[in-house]
Amino acid sequence: MDTQTQAFFEARAQIMKSLAHPTRLFMVDELSRGERCVCELTEMVGVDMSTVSKHLSLLKSAGIVADEKRGMQVYYRLKTPCVLRFFDCVGEVMIQKMQELTHLTSGR
Amino acid sequence: MDTQTQAFFEARAQIMKSLAHPTRLFMVDELSRGERCVCELTEMVGVDMSTVSKHLSLLKSAGIVADEKRGMQVYYRLKTPCVLRFFDCVGEVMIQKMQELTHLTSGR
DNA sequence: TGCGTACTTGGCCAAACCGCCAAATAGTGT
DNA sequence: ACACTATTTGGCGGTTTGGCCAAGTACGCA
């Protein structure tokens, strides 16, 4: 694997990584229904605000979300809504896994 | 965030995590062009075969690939090709990031 | 049966990740 | 200027991840 190919998949991986955490996935899901400020998200996920802030800045540097300060709050919104399409496929994967489990337990 | 919601996003995250590594992304890409045995992939990525094997078993337990022993080799194939659709969007994200960089450097 | 090839598993170590707390920053209102 | 609120940043400890090496397993073939 040459250096350029490696760099390409490295870049791809960084974006995937930003979506590889339950809290961040929850926030993306929430943001798919409209913009939210850090404090709102903090209350919903139930961890320290500093943690939420770090998750958001990670998503931001990955290019998934954008932020805008308005009044006293910072509002985050989904910048590339196409990520939502991911989850249709993720759903398919989950369904397939469950079906295999069913086959196993129904004796085969 | 209640327990059930948490479990849901945890499951989703596990699948995303399995795709959040350059080597695994490279292998998925390669498998999109047909099945490959462990030894072929090992040679392509250029790390230890044990490492490749672990990456593959991770992808397998995530439900992304399936394996089949045939002759002396174990062949892996893409089980849920829909993951490839992810990367269209990942491409969009990357392009947007590059455009922003261009705007910055062209003085604004 | 015994050898070689293909692969997997276990163990170890270094690096990355995630949570919290505390401190810094920035903007609001008095 | 001062206090207050919303958010970010720095730093620390515990857990997870990713690589290699060595050992184990499984199968094909002489």
Side-chain angles (χ1 to χ4, degrees), chain A residues 12-31:
Chain A
R12 190 173 269 194
Q14 207 181 344
I15 293 170
M16 298 306 288
K17 253 188 251 188
S18 78
L19 292 166
H21 190 282
T23 299
R24 292 196 290 270
L25 287 173
F26 174 85
M27 294 194 301
V28 166
D29 185 70
E30 188 56 33
L31 292 179

Side-chain angles (χ1 to χ4, degrees), chain A:
Chain A
M1 186 158 41
D2 64 273
T3 319
Q4 197 178 343
T5 312
Q6 190 155 4
F8 173 74
F9 285 103
E10 202 98 37
R12 190 173 269 194
Q14 207 181 344
I15 293 170
M16 298 306 288
K17 253 188 251 188
S18 78
L19 292 166
H21 190 282
T23 299
R24 292 196 290 270
L25 287 173
F26 174 85
M27 294 194 301
V28 166
D29 185 70
E30 188 56 33
L31 292 179
S32 76
R33 287 187 286 282
E35 58 178 21
R36 303 278 184 272
C37 69
V38 183
C39 53
E40 285 171 321
L41 291 169
T42 297
E43 196 181 357
M44 283 187 265
V45 304
V47 298
D48 200 87
M49 183 181 280
S50 67
T51 304
V52 171
S53 174
K54 278 176 189 170
H55 281 309
L56 286 167
S57 87
L58 205 155
L59 284 170
K60 183 182 164 189
S61 67
I64 309 288
V65 303
D67 63 334
E68 187 191 348
K69 186 153 202 170
R70 215 158 56 235
M72 210 135 47
Q73 285 97 11
V74 176
Y75 285 90
Y76 280 84
R77 65 183 171 79
L78 218 49
K79 194 172 154 194
T80 40
C82 62
V83 296
L84 298 172
R85 290 203 310 260
F86 283 26
F87 305 127
D88 300 339
C89 173
V90 173
E92 279 184 45
V93 177
M94 281 161 77
I95 287 168
Q96 262 201 28
K97 278 209 275 190
M98 287 196 328
Q99 285 176 344
E100 277 158 36
L101 277 175
T102 323
H103 288 162
L104 283 176
T105 53
S106 70
R108 189 174 47 109

Side-chain angles (χ1 to χ4, degrees), chain B:
Chain B
M1 183 158 44
D2 63 273
T3 319
Q4 198 178 342
T5 312
Q6 189 155 3
F8 174 75
F9 285 104
E10 203 97 38
R12 191 172 268 194
Q14 208 180 340
I15 294 170
M16 298 305 289
K17 251 187 253 189
S18 77
L19 292 167
H21 189 282
T23 299
R24 293 195 290 271
L25 288 173
F26 174 83
M27 295 194 301
V28 166
D29 185 69
E30 188 55 33
L31 292 178
S32 78
R33 287 186 288 280
E35 59 178 21
R36 300 281 185 272
C37 69
V38 183
C39 52
E40 285 171 321
L41 292 168
T42 297
E43 196 181 357
M44 282 187 265
V45 304
V47 299
D48 200 87
M49 184 181 279
S50 68
T51 304
V52 170
S53 175
K54 279 176 189 169
H55 281 308
L56 286 167
S57 87
L58 205 156
L59 284 170
K60 183 182 164 187
S61 67
I64 309 287
V65 302
D67 63 335
E68 187 194 347
K69 185 155 203 169
R70 217 162 52 237
M72 211 133 52
Q73 285 98 12
V74 177
Y75 285 91
Y76 281 84
R77 65 183 171 78
L78 218 50
K79 193 173 153 193
T80 40
C82 63
V83 296
L84 297 171
R85 289 204 310 262
F86 282 27
F87 306 126
D88 299 341
C89 173
V90 172
E92 279 184 45
V93 176
M94 282 161 76
I95 288 168
Q96 262 201 27
K97 277 209 276 190
M98 288 195 329
Q99 285 177 343
E100 278 158 34
L101 277 175
T102 322
H103 288 161
L104 283 176
T105 52
S106 70
R108 201 194 15 133

